[in-house]
Amino acid sequence: MSYQHWRLEREDSGLAFLTFDKANESTNTFSNAALNELSAIADELAKSPPKGLAILSAKDNGFAAGADINQFTSFKSAEEAKAFTKLGLDVFDKIAALRFPTVAMVHGFCMGGGTELSLACTYRVMDDGPKTKMALPEVLIGIVPGWGGAMRMPKLIGAGQALDLMLTGRGVNGRSAKRMGLADVVTPRRHFMNAARMLLTNPPAPHKPSFGQAIADWPVIRNIVASKAASSVSKKVAQKHYPAPYAIIDLWQNYGGDPRKVPDSSPTSIASIFSHPTTANLIRIFKLQERMKAMGKDSSTSIRHVHVIGAGAMGGDIAAWCAFRGLTVTLQDLSAERIAPAIKRAAEMYKKRLKQPHLIQAAMDRLIPDPKADGVVQADLIIEAIVENPEIKKKLYADIEPRMKAGAILATNTSSIPLQQLSGVLKRPERLVGLHFFNPVAQMMLVEIVEGPQTSPEVMQAGIAFTRQIDKLPMPCKSAPGFLVNRVLSPYLHEAMLMLDEGIPGEIIDAAARDFGMPMGPIELADMVGLDICYAVGHELGKPGQKVPAKLQACIDAKHLGKKTGQGFYRWENGKPVKSGPRNDFDLVALADRMTLPAINEAIACVREGIVVDSDLADAGVIFGTGFAPHRGGPIQAAKARGKDELLKIMAMFEKQYGERFKADAGWQMVI
Ligand code: NAI
């Protein structure tokens, strides 16, 4: 038989090799068609069994990226979602039931359904390179590992490790997978055929978890493990916002990981999960993330050497990140002493993330302190991250531009100065672009790519491609005060501080924001960021006539700048704010409306003004830049879901009560 998406070859030795090669696509994903073919292949193999079967991928990028996400968005009913889940599970069950040894040969990414297919095999062989990762990331798009992941992984490596992987969605490389018992053999991809032949001809006993790992599945212990897992999930996300992690625990604890056994009425059922609004929002964000990733593809510029000027909080970490991602980086500041702390921070980050001494050393070798600015003449890209002062920045530009090599790009990390205010000193203003990173650089995915009126399209495109090169998410936007993210965040923080001035306790304000779905409340966030920085941003982005909140001013006067000084709006002990106990005498929804509506209003204004190209990107930018309630799909999607009429009524009421700042932007009529 010949198949469209799979190639089955039998060797004289009696072994069979099945190659996944999804037709007309560069990435293997499981669609209905690919699964139906695999089902037919499993039947064919069961009828005339080989001595052993190896499953490989023909794609360079990886084994399989999981279920075809477009299939998810096309479901018209929960029934269709259920049928798709059952199809995958039944097919992988057939692979697991084959009466000869099977091995999955995994290189590159192996996500979700890819990992679940590999779990249905007797063995897993993994490539040892840094790009090879196995994961069950379903939780990140609001669903559960329903194709046998929740069923087979706990049995293979113990529930403790399996729950950790399923609840975080994190990926593991070959070395870690081998340590956990997920991979049987780790070897370079070029040795795959040999490794497969050896395993299948002399099959060893399949991996089993250790006694200590296996007991987590014993009924009494299982309940304890499940309740501990649920309690640690509840510290991160609420079940009403994110049902999937809770469903994963329940699926494992009460149904042996088999979604076919879950009654439709249960919140753990596929029907319930697919009809929950969070799932659609998280899938949409995943697709938007893919859209942002794809933006970097059309650029001929490849950056090899980055020169970063300013080794402070931002520049130091941007340089460290670029070297971490494989670029040669020279780092300039006013003196070697000012560069040293950045190099020290980089070493700590590499130690944590790279672990292996030779990789740490290689990254350190790529990060070169450069107090004499020798890198300026060689760099393909110069990123300026010096003090936020236009005169000092302009002086620097005038000094370095004549020394930059032809075709090199100049980027600024300014968070508030319009590019047009800086580009006047340049002979070639078209090569200035904004690359606005977020703090902390290593954790924040987003980079705003800021287009000044003179920035050339090629330079914009190169900025976008560079952002992808260092594995961040690019968000093109126009040069206007605050760009997108700070402009949206700033009125939200301002309103929270005004509420504090009115005597509403910080704990209550933070609780209202968290209840809405923010990862952290605004009062705690302000303390974390630093009240001096909030003050400066408020000053820069505040509406005309906007007053500085009194408590903020008092903290600034007293030099109580937040976490870094041990006292801000909160007192900080051991890196945590000291909060008083819960109270329930406030209407948290009304408080959340008061804080989030100015942010939503600003996001809408940004779309109307063309700061970002559309509301989808505005939502994605605000989510990846601030963590704005991902389960609601971002500010604009949240407003659409709640309903324009209802929100405009509330805005009008707030406008009467609190003034002009609640005036609805004209964009409400166009965008929502
Ligand atoms: P910082 O004060 O921590 O570091 C600035 C560094 O620039 C200092 O080490 C200083 O010695 C150096 N410097 C000053 N003039 C210089 C010159 N002429 N030549 C070479 N080095 C010079 O400042 P931070 O926070 O890193 O900010 C830098 C830039 O990044 C600013 O434009 C700021 O708006 C922007 N930014 C800051 C964010 C933050 O959260 N701190 C977030 C995003 C952007």
Side-chain angles (χ1 to χ4, degrees), residues 309-316 318 332-335 338 384-389 392-393 396 412-417 436-439 486 529 533:
I309 311 181
M314 292 304 289
I318 293 169
Q332 175 190 339
D333 205 301
L334 297 171
S335 67
R338 292 194 185 216
E384 169 273 305
I386 67 168
V387 279
E388 191 71 339
N389 177 319
I392 302 180
K393 285 190 197 283
L396 176 80
T412 174
N413 185 46
T414 179
S415 37
S416 63
I417 308 169
H436 184 227
F437 288 79
F438 292 84
N439 196 359
N486 284 345
V529 170
I533 292 181

Side-chain angles (χ1 to χ4, degrees), residues 360-376:
I360 299 170
Q361 189 56 50
M364 290 303 290
D365 290 348
R366 288 192 293 268
L367 179 60
I368 307 158
D370 184 16
K372 298 216 172 84
D374 294 334
V376 170

